[in-house]
Amino acid sequence: MTKLDSFLTALDRGLRSVTGIVKANRPNPAVDHESNLTEDERRRAAGLMRVNHCGEICAQALYEGQALTARRAATRDSLSAAARQEEDHLAWCRDRLTELDGRPSILDPAFYLASYAVGAATGLLGDRVSLGFIEATEDQVKQHLDRHIEKLPAGDERSRAILTEMRADEVRHGEDAARSGGLVFPQAVKGAMGLVSKIMTETTYRI
């Protein structure tokens, strides 16, 4: 595809991501699990899943932006494959949010655009930097998911099953990026990325 074709494809994916028109290619991990929640627990679980839904929108945008500016076809293909897996995560989170009578964050479109710009800019710095950014990002996501798995109400096995499966995928994405030659980011950079992630988490939990 030409760069214009890639951009239009990414635009289509972006519109589908923020409007919820996304279908999973894999079965939802929650299908064989039950949840028994009080009203307060339901609201808390909905807030957590709203954060994770927004995080998956950001992941879509980040991968699409990086794929657009990747220099090697192998890197571009790897990023596109990871983005397709993130579509599963997005669909699972959206389904669970609906089950919890929750709503997506109104900030989703803004976070998508910001993440797409960051991804495209990172890709322009070269494939090693781009892959290193993926590894660093997935490390932050793994830690975030660990916290949310612990924060979920004890009876919310459906949400927990989704986040556990997502965590396994994110770890694999990070390892793949590192094996592909990703640059190792300094801990200070990872710390700054964690701060940005915290801002996103705090705002989308409420808005």
Side-chain angles (χ1 to χ4, degrees), residues 19-178:
T19 57
I21 309 175
V22 177
K23 294 180 65 177
N25 293 309
R26 292 177 289 168
N28 192 319
V31 68
D32 293 324
H33 296 269
E34 300 293 335
S35 291
N36 184 20
L37 305 174
T38 66
E39 183 59 23
D40 285 345
E41 288 174 335
R42 182 197 64 76
R43 283 196 295 267
R44 179 151 54 96
L48 293 172
M49 293 308 291
R50 177 163 50 250
V51 172
N52 289 297
H53 177 264
C54 182
E56 292 307 318
I57 282 181
C58 291
Q60 278 288 302
L62 184 66
Y63 279 122
E64 292 292 351
Q66 288 178 291
L68 179 69
T69 55
R71 297 179 184 178
R72 293 187 299 142
T75 301
R76 187 162 51 251
D77 291 344
S78 176
L79 291 166
S80 296
R84 286 192 294 273
Q85 277 203 332
E86 298 289 349
E87 279 190 348
D88 290 344
H89 300 175
L90 182 58
W92 297 341
C93 287
R94 182 79 178 217
D95 289 347
R96 185 58 185 148
L97 195 55
T98 299
E99 290 176 355
L100 292 165
D101 295 325
R103 53 167 179 77
S105 172
I106 62 174
L107 300 175
D108 284 352
F111 277 117
Y112 184 94
L113 291 173
S115 297
Y116 189 88
V118 169
T122 303
L124 289 173
L125 296 175
D127 287 4
R128 286 196 68 215
V129 173
S130 185
L131 291 167
F133 190 78
I134 289 295
E135 190 281 328
T137 299
E138 297 295 18
D139 182 58
Q140 295 293 322
V141 171
K142 178 181 71 68
Q143 296 178 48
H144 159 84
L145 289 172
D146 285 340
R147 290 192 294 269
H148 273 213
I149 289 170
E150 289 296 321
K151 286 181 179 180
L152 282 169
D156 192 1
E157 291 303 320
R158 290 179 68 79
S159 297
R160 187 168 285 105
I162 291 171
L163 297 191
T164 300
E165 185 70 18
M166 286 167 51
R167 183 190 186 281
D169 287 342
E170 307 297 4
V171 169
R172 186 167 58 256
H173 294 165
E175 291 174 347
D176 288 346

Side-chain angles (χ1 to χ4, degrees), residues 47-48 50-52 54 105 107 111 144 147-148 151 194-207:
L48 293 172
R50 177 163 50 250
V51 172
N52 289 297
C54 182
S105 172
L107 300 175
F111 277 117
H144 159 84
R147 290 192 294 269
H148 273 213
K151 286 181 179 180
L195 179 60
V196 173
S197 175
K198 184 176 181 180
I199 293 171
M200 185 275 284
T201 299
E202 294 296 328
T203 53
T204 55
Y205 183 85
R206 297 177 173 81
I207 303 176

